[in-house]
Amino acid sequence: MNTPLRVDAEVLENAAEGGVNHRLRVAIPDWPGFAPGQFVMLSPGARGAAERDDPLLPRPMAVYRQYEGSQVEVLYKVHGRGTALLAEAQPGQRVRVVGPLGRAFSLPEAGERALLVGGGTGVASLYELAARAIGRAPVSVLLGARSADDLMGQDDFAALDVDLHLATEDGSRGQRGLVTDLLREALAQGGSARVYACGPTPMMRAAAELAADAGQPALVSLENPMACGFGVCLGCAAPLAGGGFGLVCRDGPVFEAERVDWENLA
Ligand SMILES: Cc1cc2nc3c(=O)[nH]c(=O)nc-3n(C[C@H](O)[C@H](O)[C@H](O)COP(=O)(O)OP(=O)(O)OC[C@H]3O[C@@H](n4cnc5c(N)ncnc54)[C@H](O)[C@@H]3O)c2cc1C
Ligand code: FES
């Protein structure tokens, strides 16, 4: 497990990539590395390091990938106030980073196909998993969005040696329909597979049900809103099948799909 850091990181790049999609690259001296699925808590406006220190609470963001020289990249969508402020950060300014945090994805076992299913911001949690699973297993990456503008990171995935399929609800890129349609087709090919899903809750639930119907294991990475990111505020609690709650920041964000009480997950 990599020990989390709490640092003010220098912004190297923060660029719009079409639609509401942005790419942020920061320098984090002594970055300890991360495992696929782990995240950081990002504050746009680190106290004492940039012009402002609001909003008060940081926002959770998946670590997309890392580069030599302790550079870390995040892909994000401008959603509300926190991400709008993040989009204003200029190269040379600093953002507060706490991480890496959370429970990571396990890599596929030998002989399994890895079926990665991403929608919305969830796509960002899957890139490093795809990169590290190559060589261990055949990797299929299935990305979905409402329209071509909403897709995130597809050029990066296309540059990997993976079997990449896209679906958009309006048919503007890839197959028209839902990304779970692609998953249904992939599972119908048979054989042993492990499903990894991150995205909107209905999408993850559908992916979990398809995997269960096919008798294959599934891991999901939940994207509940978070306040602290390390198990103190209890704000990220997710109901578990069989009773009780798991903290998405500490016990997740990655959970075995059958552990999640999908009926009661907000
Ligand atoms: C582990 C984890 C990893 C994440 N990784 C990424 C990533 O790599 N890229 C990315 O763009 N986003 C990611 N997210 C989601 C991201 O944290 C939220 O989009 C962000 O916090 C929204 O902040 P905001 O201030 O812009 O919006 P806010 O003003 O906080 O919220 C605007 C509206 O969205 C709702 N909302 C806030 N957070 C969420 C959420 N997580 N899910 C659904 N609705 C929400 C609020 O209730 C409110 O109605 C991740 C979330 C988690 C938990
Ligand atoms: S975000 Fe505070 S306990 Fe999980």
Side-chain angles (χ1 to χ4, degrees):
M1 183 63 78
N2 299 309
T3 308
L5 300 177
R6 178 187 297 269
V7 291
D8 291 341
E10 182 184 348
V11 175
L12 301 173
E13 178 191 351
N14 191 19
E17 294 212 318
V20 294
N21 297 335
H22 287 68
R23 185 180 299 258
L24 171 73
R25 194 160 45 88
V26 294
I28 305 182
D30 303 322
W31 172 250
F34 76 109
Q38 286 194 297
F39 65 98
V40 289
M41 296 299 285
L42 265 182
S43 303
R47 191 181 298 276
E51 291 94 342
R52 61 168 106 73
D53 61 3
D54 73 316
L56 187 63
L57 297 176
R59 300 294 189 260
M61 294 285 161
V63 182
Y64 185 61
R65 60 182 167 187
Q66 64 190 17
Y67 294 98
E68 293 292 321
S70 284
Q71 296 184 14
V72 168
E73 197 167 78
V74 165
L75 291 195
Y76 67 98
K77 288 181 183 290
V78 172
H79 191 70
R81 176 148 173 79
T83 45
L85 288 176
L86 189 61
E88 291 176 11
Q90 299 295 315
Q93 293 183 332
R94 288 173 185 274
V95 292
R96 169 63 55 90
V97 177
V98 179
L101 297 167
R103 179 175 173 239
F105 287 114
S106 53
L107 293 175
E109 304 287 338
E112 280 180 339
R113 276 188 306 150
L115 302 178
L116 279 55
V117 190
T121 56
V123 168
S125 296
L126 300 175
Y127 177 82
E128 193 68 22
L129 173 64
R132 295 196 201 182
I134 294 168
R136 291 176 65 98
V139 181
S140 295
V141 177
L142 318 174
L143 304 183
R146 278 198 204 92
S147 68
D149 272 358
D150 295 329
L151 279 166
M152 246 185 8
Q154 73 269 23
D155 293 344
D156 300 328
F157 284 95
L160 293 175
D161 185 18
V162 298
D163 171 41
L164 176 64
H165 299 269
L166 306 176
T168 51
E169 290 174 38
D170 66 0
S172 53
R173 185 77 49 82
Q175 181 170 309
R176 180 189 293 270
L178 300 174
V179 70
T180 43
D181 298 336
L182 298 176
L183 177 61
R184 188 179 293 104
E185 290 161 21
L187 284 167
Q189 292 169 19
S192 178
R194 183 173 298 247
V195 173
Y196 300 88
C198 189
T201 299
M203 185 218 92
M204 287 192 282
R205 181 178 183 174
E209 287 170 358
L210 286 169
D213 289 349
Q216 306 298 344
L219 294 169
V220 294
S221 184
L222 302 184
E223 289 205 332
N224 291 25
M226 291 182 183
C228 72
F230 45 86
V232 173
C233 71
L234 310 185
C236 64
L240 298 180
F245 289 86
L247 294 181
V248 174
C249 65
R250 192 192 60 195
D251 307 323
V254 174
F255 291 87
E256 286 79 18
E258 74 266 16
R259 286 189 66 209
V260 178
D261 176 0
W262 295 102
E263 205 62 54
N264 291 305
L265 184 68

